[in-house]
């Protein structure tokens, strides 16, 4: 059985106080509303990670994740945060290769391979993002484009390593635009991604990997997306900043 994961990517939002309120509300609601079958991951900006981890306390299905990590293990890299530093205070997940990092920080497939390797070596679970731009979608080449992102960044991993990676399919044209991929479009791409993984690693490994959908997911469209057989959860941006919306998305599973 694949893990069901609802991950919130706070991006560069929330003051320290706001982040604590949001976390406490989510943890409380998850407990009160007995949200046990879904793994919740909160990915705040770096300065929040420690306190978010503390506020999660003993909640068994809520985890903290970072939005990025360095491709280096340690050393003179001013401003960077390494995977071992994150792991050393209980961070469990790390988002790698978000389209905003690919676009604004020029992260290449090659660099992302190094980040994934660092994360795995430190015991973090990477949430590896892939997805096509609007131009590529309109040209009809989204499937080979996304497959290439996966091949180029992930396919030198062993079967054991890739089994620890969660994939997030995030069509760029759906991120922060209010325009969601239809459930059919999401399912089609998730199935293609899984088939691609199966071609390299075999069906058993591919069937064990959770593939999340990201891009304007909200309570009103989550149930339909999450009902699709190859959609194993969501990576939520805007709607993860409101505790009620985030929990309602998870509850719609
Ligand atoms: P939105 O949910 O705001 O569209 O963001 C999606 C996203 O980029 C999550 O990583």
């Amino acid at each position: 059985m694949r893990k069901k994961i609802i991950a919130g990517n706070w991006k560069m939002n929330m003051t320290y106080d706001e982040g604590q309120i949001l976390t406490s509300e989510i943890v409380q609601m998850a407990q009160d509303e007995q949200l046990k079958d879904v793994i919740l991951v909160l990915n705040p900006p770096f300065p929040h990670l420690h306190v978010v981890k503390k506020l999660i306390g003993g909640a068994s299905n809520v985890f903290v994740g970072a939005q990025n990590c360095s491709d280096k293990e340690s050393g003179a890299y001013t401003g960077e945060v390494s995977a071992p530093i994150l792991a050393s205070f209980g961070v469990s997940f790390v988002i790698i290769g978000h389209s905003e990092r690919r676009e604004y920080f020029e992260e290449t497939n090659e660099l992302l391979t190094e980040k994934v390797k660092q994360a795995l070596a430190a015991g973090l679970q990477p949430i590896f993002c892939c997805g096509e731009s609007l131009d590529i979608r309109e040209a009809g080449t989204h499937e080979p484009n996304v497959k290439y992102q996966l091949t180029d960044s992930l396919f030198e991993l062993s079967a054991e390593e890739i089994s620890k990676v969660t994939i997030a399919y995030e069509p760029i044209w759906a991120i922060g635009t209010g325009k969601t991929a239809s459930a059919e479009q999401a399912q089609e791409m998730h199935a293609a991604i899984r088939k691609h993984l199966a071609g390299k690693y075999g069906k058993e490994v591919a069937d064990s990997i959770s593939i999340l959908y990201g891009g304007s997911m909200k309570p009103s469209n989550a149930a339909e997306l999450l009902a699709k057989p190859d959609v194993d959860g969501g990576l939520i941006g805007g709607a993860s900043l409101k505790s009620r919306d985030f929990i309602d998305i998870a509850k719609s599973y």
Side-chain angles (χ1 to χ4, degrees), residues 57-92:
S60 59
N61 62 329
V62 190
F63 296 89
V64 66
Q67 296 174 19
N68 182 28
C69 70
S70 173
D71 60 315
K72 305 287 192 305
E73 189 181 348
S74 65
Y77 299 101
T78 302
E80 289 290 272
V81 179
S82 72
I85 293 173
L86 295 170
S88 71
F89 62 97
V91 172
S92 305

Side-chain angles (χ1 to χ4, degrees), residues 42 44-54 64-66 86 89 91:
L42 309 183
F46 285 129
H48 296 251
L49 287 167
H50 190 251
V51 74
V52 167
K53 165 83 184 157
K54 266 177 76 174
V64 66
L86 295 170
F89 62 97
V91 172

Side-chain angles (χ1 to χ4, degrees), residues 7-11 13 170 214-217 235-242:
N9 176 7
W10 297 7
K11 307 193 180 184
N13 294 298
E170 298 207 310
S216 300
M217 200 190 254
L235 182 55
I236 326 294
S240 76
L241 303 176
K242 294 188 189 124

Side-chain angles (χ1 to χ4, degrees), residues 139-217:
T141 51
H142 43 286
E143 207 178 296
N145 177 268
V146 167
K147 284 181 182 169
Y148 180 71
Q149 291 172 24
L150 298 173
T151 306
D152 213 30
S153 287
L154 297 181
F155 278 17
E156 57 185 87
L157 299 179
S158 67
E160 194 190 337
E161 286 170 326
I162 199 135
S163 303
K164 294 176 185 146
V165 176
T166 296
I167 310 272
Y169 169 62
E170 298 207 310
I172 298 168
W173 47 272
I175 296 178
T177 57
K179 197 175 167 192
T180 321
S182 67
E184 289 69 32
Q185 284 173 322
Q187 168 58 24
E188 186 184 40
M189 281 304 287
H190 284 226
I193 289 168
R194 199 177 307 287
K195 200 169 162 205
H196 190 53
L197 292 168
K200 167 78 179 167
Y201 293 101
K203 190 171 178 330
E204 198 179 325
V205 170
D207 282 347
S208 73
I209 295 175
S210 297
I211 306 176
L212 317 183
Y213 168 79
S216 300
M217 200 190 254

